[in-house]
């Protein structure tokens, strides 16, 4: 009886243990499902927050665009003002002096671009008609172009359609000048005020963190942002200035009108990755076709510019900047498309600096920092 009783008790304990194990496994499955549901809820909230932020950025373009541009430029000018402080010039006055120089350069740039744009707008119908007369002989070598022209009313009708549509396009561009003027005033005011209160704003951001570690992280992030943006803009400006000079020589040798203006366009457009060189190359093709009758001579300036730009972007820029600004090209392209859709041409110009800022913040906050080693 004792042996049978012990056997029965062992079986009972075994069944209870199996029941507890089954209950534990069921609880673990339920907890895992709950964790998955909670995780999905968290990502859903994050996704909705991102969509809401994108909607706000898109809606508040008139305000956020000039302020963002002013902050990016103000960071670069502020770091340059700190360098001028070594010569005894206070950072505030140095920043204002650099801002004045920047505004004068911007005014010169606008005046240099405004005159040819006005001339092109005034002569748009004649230029478009002449351009079509030069381009159509080359396009007619393709069968599909001849079929398209045959379905219409001929070359004259095709050119007339383009000429008639040129007016509304120019009118739409003129209608956007008033908002652009307002945004320019916001940009100028934001840039000057940012440079005046840059030091105080920096201190406020640092002191907003209660812990010592948080304040050190804020200082580290802001220093890294200033270093990265200053290094990028200063180095890229020198490289693209050389590219602008080479483009001016190419335009001069290629017989294009206003070679300095072509160099200026090349300098400005180079700050927009991918899209800038594409627009500049196509513009040189159009300019060459409007100037020369021979096809090879007409496209020679565009080919020369594209070759020089390709060599600089793939050889000179990586050799100088190294891996410091090595951002995935696909991410840069997506950023350009996104910010162009959000803020237009200025958004495309800000796409790489904003991507650089995001990369620096990711490196400084999310990635683990290397442990500091004591000397010796």
């Amino acid at each position: 009886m004792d042996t049978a009783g012990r056997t029965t008790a062992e079986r009972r304990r075994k069944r209870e243990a199996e029941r507890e194990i089954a209950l534990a496994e069921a609880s673990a499955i339920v907890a895992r499902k709950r964790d998955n549901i909670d995780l999905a809820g968290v990502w859903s909230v994050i996704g909705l927050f991102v969509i809401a932020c994108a909607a706000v950025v898109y809606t508040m373009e008139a305000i956020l665009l000039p302020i963002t541009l002013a902050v990016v430029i103000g960071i670069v000018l502020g770091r340059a003002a700190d360098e001028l402080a070594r010569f005894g010039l206070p950072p505030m006055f140095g920043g204002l002096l650099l801002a004045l120089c920047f505004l004068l350069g911007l005014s010169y740039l606008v005046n240099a671009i405004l005159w040819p744009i006005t001339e092109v707008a005034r002569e748009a119908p004649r230029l478009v008609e002449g351009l079509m007369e030069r381009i159509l002989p080359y396009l007619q070598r393709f069968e599909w172009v001849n079929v398209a022209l045959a379905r219409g009313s001929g070359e004259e009708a095709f050119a007339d359609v383009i000429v008639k549509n040129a007016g509304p396009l120019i009118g739409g561009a003129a209608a956007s000048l008033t908002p652009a003027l307002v945004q320019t005033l916001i940009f100028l005011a934001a840039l000057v005020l940012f440079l005046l209160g840059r030091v105080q704003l920096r201190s406020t951001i640092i002191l907003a963190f209660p812990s010592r570690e948080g304040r050190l992280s804020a200082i580290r992030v802001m220093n890294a942002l200033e270093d990265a943006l200053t290094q990028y803009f200063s180095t890229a400006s020198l490289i693209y200035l050389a590219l602008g000079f080479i483009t001016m020589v190419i335009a001069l040798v290629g017989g294009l009108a206003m070679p300095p203006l072509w160099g200026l366009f090349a300098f400005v457009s180079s700050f927009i990755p991918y899209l800038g060189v594409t627009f500049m190359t196509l513009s040189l093709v159009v300019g060459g076709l409007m100037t020369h009758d021979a096809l090879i001579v007409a496209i020679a300036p565009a080919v020369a510019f594209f070759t020089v730009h390709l060599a600089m972007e793939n050889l000179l820029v990586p050799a100088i900047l190294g891996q410091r600004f090595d951002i995935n090209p696909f991410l840069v392209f997506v950023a350009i498309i996104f910010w162009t859709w959000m803020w237009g041409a200025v958004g495309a110009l800000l796409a790489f600096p904003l991507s650089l800022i995001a990369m620096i913040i990711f490196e400084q906050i999310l990635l683990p920092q290397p442990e500091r080693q004591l000397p010796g």
Side-chain angles (χ1 to χ4, degrees):
M1 294 295 292
D2 294 338
T3 303
R6 285 196 298 272
T7 303
T8 303
E10 290 177 357
R11 291 176 179 175
R12 188 186 308 112
R13 286 194 294 270
K14 185 177 180 180
R15 287 195 299 270
E16 292 177 354
E18 292 176 351
R19 189 181 300 111
E20 291 177 356
I21 292 174
L23 291 175
E25 292 178 351
S27 300
I29 294 175
V30 173
R32 192 179 302 113
K33 291 182 178 180
R34 186 181 298 109
D35 292 340
N36 293 335
I37 294 175
D38 293 340
L39 183 61
V42 170
W43 280 109
S44 299
V45 173
I46 294 175
L48 292 175
F49 177 75
V50 171
I51 294 174
C53 290
V56 171
V57 170
Y58 182 81
T59 305
M60 300 182 64
E61 172 191 356
I63 298 176
L64 293 180
L65 172 60
I67 292 178
T68 304
L69 182 62
V71 171
V72 172
I73 296 177
I75 291 175
V76 178
L77 296 180
R79 175 52 65 91
D82 293 338
E83 296 297 327
L84 291 178
R86 299 179 180 180
F87 300 97
L89 188 65
M92 180 180 298
F93 293 103
L96 292 178
L97 178 61
L98 292 175
L100 179 61
C101 295
F102 175 80
L103 296 179
L104 291 177
L106 183 62
S107 300
Y108 174 78
L109 177 64
V110 172
N111 291 330
I113 296 177
L114 187 60
W115 179 78
I117 290 179
T118 305
E119 290 296 320
V120 171
R122 185 171 58 86
E123 300 290 336
R126 185 181 60 83
L127 293 176
V128 172
E129 185 176 359
L131 180 63
M132 293 307 303
E133 291 177 354
R134 292 177 179 270
I135 293 179
L136 281 177
Y138 301 110
L139 295 181
Q140 287 176 347
R141 299 177 182 178
F142 302 96
E143 184 63 26
W144 62 271
V145 176
N146 294 326
V147 173
L149 291 176
R151 291 179 178 178
S153 302
E155 302 177 5
E156 294 79 5
F158 186 60
D160 290 341
V161 170
I162 297 179
V163 171
K164 291 178 180 178
N165 290 330
L169 291 176
I170 297 173
S176 62
L177 290 178
T178 301
L181 180 60
V182 175
Q183 291 182 343
T184 302
L185 296 177
I186 295 176
F187 163 74
L188 297 177
L191 178 62
V192 173
L193 294 177
F194 178 83
L195 290 173
L196 288 175
R198 182 176 63 92
V199 177
Q200 183 179 0
L201 180 62
R202 178 186 174 94
S203 301
T204 302
I205 295 175
I206 295 174
L207 295 177
F209 294 88
S211 63
R212 180 176 181 273
E213 291 76 11
R215 294 177 179 178
L216 291 177
S217 298
I219 294 174
R220 185 174 63 249
V221 170
M222 287 188 290
N223 289 339
L225 286 177
E226 292 179 356
D227 293 339
L229 290 176
T230 303
Q231 182 181 359
Y232 166 71
F233 276 106
S234 59
T235 307
S237 297
L238 293 177
I239 295 175
Y240 296 147
L241 187 63
L243 178 63
F245 178 78
I246 295 175
T247 305
M248 182 182 66
V249 175
I250 291 174
L252 181 63
V253 174
L256 300 181
M258 296 180 291
L261 192 61
W262 287 108
L264 182 61
F265 283 159
F267 170 75
V268 176
S269 63
S270 297
F271 284 96
I272 306 177
Y274 309 129
L275 299 183
V277 61
T278 303
F279 174 78
M280 188 64 193
T281 304
L282 294 177
S283 300
L284 286 172
V285 170
V286 174
L289 291 175
M290 295 176 61
T291 304
H292 304 287
D293 294 329
L295 180 61
I296 297 179
V297 179
I299 65 174
V303 174
F305 166 78
F306 184 79
T307 303
V308 172
H309 190 280
L310 190 66
M312 282 189 170
E313 287 293 337
N314 291 277
L315 298 177
L316 185 60
V317 174
I320 296 178
L321 296 180
Q323 300 297 322
R324 185 67 180 88
F325 307 108
D326 188 13
I327 305 178
N328 190 293
F330 175 74
L331 297 180
V332 175
F333 179 75
V334 172
I336 292 173
I337 298 300
F338 176 79
W339 288 110
T340 303
W341 171 62
M342 280 286 188
W343 290 347
V346 181
L349 184 64
L350 287 172
F352 189 84
L354 293 178
S355 302
L356 184 62
I357 291 174
M359 184 189 72
I360 296 299
I361 294 176
F362 178 81
E363 290 179 351
Q364 297 295 326
I365 295 181
L366 298 183
L367 294 183
Q369 297 296 321
E371 295 183 359
R372 298 182 182 273
Q373 301 291 337
L374 295 178

